[in-house]
Amino acid sequence: MAELFAQEGAKVLAVDLSEYKLMAAFGASSAIRALRQDVTAGDAADTLVGTIQSELDGLDILVNNAGVPGDLGPIEETSDASWARVFSVNVDAVFRISRACIPLLRESAYGRIITTSSVNVDFGLRRYGPYVASKHAVSGLMKGLPIELGRNGITVNCINPANVVTGMTRSGFPAPNTAEGRAYLDAATVLNRSCQQEEVVSAAVFLASDGGAYITGQAIVVDGGMTCRLPSLSERAIREIQRVT
């Protein structure tokens, strides 16, 4: 995410819990300032705003991209701590950081808030109850904010991806070159392949560009046709998706 925005000419503050990952990814970049920060910490929003004010020339684009799936299992076995952890990262941090950054975005002539949600706002998923609930919550927040901020010229949108293979999600997908993986992709998409991270980032860059200036309060779905196919999935395909997940 940070690299493509930097390639487009942005000065980027990249935030992650792991300093090692930040340094490995961005240590050599002059356009990307890496900041180790737990976004769920009580002072995280103030820390980010302070860093932006001291090291960047204001704030034009806020991308809320942190997220966790939580512990997988049925709701009846989900602990309060597991539920709270998912909402702390996926919802509470987005709320606090967005709230703290609104004054900076009002000073910009180019204000954007872009939040990564999920196609799971359109359907549930077995064993992912807290995650699905959190994505509904954050998507709701992103529906209310554009109404409040539109008069300031600030656009607010979500990106709803699916089947994106990352370090966090890789263990949840079968290898695409196996029979199981091919069956999953055939059942879950119409393009018969996984989504690449760059394809999600490209959607964010578009929303941040002049071309996305009149788009607000929307969810841009990057799912390879998964949601358009769901109503017509065969019982066999549904069983295949449930078995894999």
Side-chain angles (χ1 to χ4, degrees):
M1 186 74 75
E3 292 163 315
L4 190 50
F5 270 94
Q7 289 173 17
E8 293 294 322
K11 294 180 181 179
V12 180
L13 176 64
V15 182
D16 195 273
L17 188 59
S18 170
E19 185 173 6
Y20 172 79
K21 290 180 180 179
L22 285 168
M23 289 300 103
F26 312 125
S29 175
S30 59
I32 302 174
R33 161 72 160 90
L35 176 67
R36 181 195 175 281
Q37 175 65 54
D38 179 357
V39 295
T40 68
D43 62 349
D46 290 339
T47 298
L48 296 183
V49 168
T51 304
I52 291 167
Q53 291 176 323
S54 63
E55 300 190 26
L56 301 180
D57 299 325
L59 179 66
D60 299 311
I61 305 159
L62 170 64
V63 180
N64 295 303
N65 193 47
V68 295
D71 299 325
L72 306 187
I75 287 292
E76 63 185 309
E77 297 176 9
T78 300
S79 68
D80 288 354
S82 179
W83 177 275
R85 171 61 180 165
V86 172
F87 269 73
S88 179
V89 177
N90 296 0
V91 184
D92 298 343
V94 175
F95 160 66
R96 295 191 186 107
I97 292 171
S98 298
R99 178 181 62 183
C101 288
I102 286 171
L104 297 179
L105 291 168
R106 282 200 176 109
E107 295 175 2
S108 169
Y110 201 78
R112 305 280 196 274
I113 298 177
I114 303 166
T115 298
T116 303
S117 184
S118 170
V119 292
N120 288 127
V121 300
D122 293 317
F123 59 91
L125 192 61
R126 184 170 62 93
R127 300 171 62 229
Y128 283 80
Y131 175 81
V132 173
S134 73
K135 291 304 182 179
H136 275 75
V138 80
S139 293
L141 175 62
M142 294 301 127
K143 284 291 186 181
L145 275 179
I147 299 171
E148 297 182 15
L149 302 179
R151 68 184 62 186
N152 303 117
I154 300 170
T155 68
V156 183
N157 294 287
C158 282
I159 298 174
N160 294 357
N163 301 311
V164 187
V165 179
T166 67
M168 183 181 72
T169 66
R170 185 168 287 108
S171 62
F173 294 104
N177 59 344
T178 64
E180 184 182 34
R182 288 190 293 271
Y184 171 78
L185 291 172
D186 181 62
T189 79
V190 299
L191 297 180
N192 302 109
R193 65 175 177 84
S194 300
C195 178
Q196 303 303 306
Q197 295 182 56
E198 294 80 8
E199 292 170 312
V200 178
V201 178
S202 293
V205 170
F206 168 71
L207 288 172
S209 72
D210 290 339
Y214 203 62
I215 301 173
T216 193
Q218 304 303 311
I220 305 300
V221 180
V222 185
D223 71 347
M226 183 178 190
T227 48
C228 76
R229 184 175 184 174
L230 275 172
S232 62
L233 283 179
S234 66
E235 287 299 317
R236 179 179 177 277
I238 291 172
R239 287 197 300 271
E240 184 64 38
I241 293 173
Q242 290 178 333
R243 185 175 70 82
V244 170
T245 58

